[in-house]
Amino acid sequence: MGPDVGRRTARPAPGRRRAHPRALRRGLRAAHRGDVLRPRRIAATVEMPVPAQVAFRYLCDPRNRPEWQSSLRSVSVPADEEPHLGQAWRETTTVGVRPHMETTELAPFRVWTEVGRWRGVSATLTLHFTDVAGRCRVRADGEVTGRGGWALPAHAAGLLASQAIAADLRKASRILGSRM
């Protein structure tokens, strides 16, 4: 199983010793360790027409997510709960995936990180906020990983994630700009 790395199989070792394992291509692991493909990196940067404080408050509140994130149908979070470190919620995507989400880093008006898990897939997204002359720059960084049978679907989702996140952040920018 796995991709052809263009090498022959290892020869049996003489005597009772084990065969010397050949080096695996970067990103591949032994079958017992679970990873098949390396994590797929996500990156996007968008300029917003509002100060970082405004963008931070809007983007970090899970209740606002369905308004600007195209893949979401709904978010389950208590109505009176303010965003905080350790906040947990559940999202329902348009394709029916229901990941468990959690805020793992919260530095007001500078950095916010979420981690999402669903079955064998996990994703991390960090938003960095920088004020730039009455506007702000939002940089998104993250990765999508999958274990076992979920490695390939996670890798495929990660291929599209950077463009999707950039498009969603541009939509959030338009929404915030229209409210000014």
Side-chain angles (χ1 to χ4, degrees):
M1 261 316 194
D4 180 19
V5 292
R7 299 185 202 130
R8 299 181 325 194
T9 58
R11 294 183 199 180
R16 292 181 180 222
R17 295 185 351 212
R18 292 178 40 189
H20 183 274
R22 293 190 181 266
L24 293 176
R25 194 171 73 198
R26 185 179 166 148
L28 298 177
R29 302 284 183 264
H32 66 280
R33 291 190 51 202
D35 290 343
V36 175
L37 299 169
R38 63 179 177 249
R40 189 74 187 169
R41 298 289 307 153
I42 301 167
T45 302
V46 173
E47 298 274 334
M48 295 196 172
V50 295
Q53 182 175 352
V54 173
F56 183 90
R57 284 192 175 124
Y58 180 73
L59 293 173
C60 298
D61 189 340
R63 294 170 294 209
N64 295 328
R65 301 287 287 271
E67 184 177 25
W68 61 269
Q69 191 172 342
S70 60
S71 65
L72 284 186
R73 239 190 289 161
S74 65
V75 172
S76 299
V77 64
D80 60 344
E81 186 175 87
E82 291 299 316
H84 62 277
L85 188 62
Q87 181 180 26
W89 67 96
R90 182 151 319 258
E91 298 179 343
T92 301
T93 67
T94 54
V95 295
V97 173
R98 298 194 68 228
H100 172 76
M101 309 296 291
E102 182 181 352
T103 299
T104 58
E105 183 178 10
L106 184 75
F109 318 128
R110 292 187 324 220
V111 179
W112 176 79
T113 301
E114 70 176 4
V115 173
R117 292 179 182 85
W118 181 76
R119 301 200 180 180
V121 178
S122 64
T124 303
L125 179 68
T126 300
L127 299 180
H128 303 271
F129 298 83
T130 307
D131 274 315
V132 182
R135 304 168 63 85
C136 77
R137 179 176 300 122
V138 179
R139 190 183 86 232
D141 296 311
E143 67 180 29
V144 179
T145 58
R147 298 195 58 77
W150 294 99
L152 192 56
H155 188 75
L159 289 172
L160 304 173
S162 291
Q163 290 108 2
I165 289 169
D168 288 342
L169 289 175
R170 285 192 298 271
K171 183 176 180 182
S173 178
R174 288 190 301 273
I175 291 168
L176 290 173
S178 71
R179 295 179 180 175
M180 291 183 66

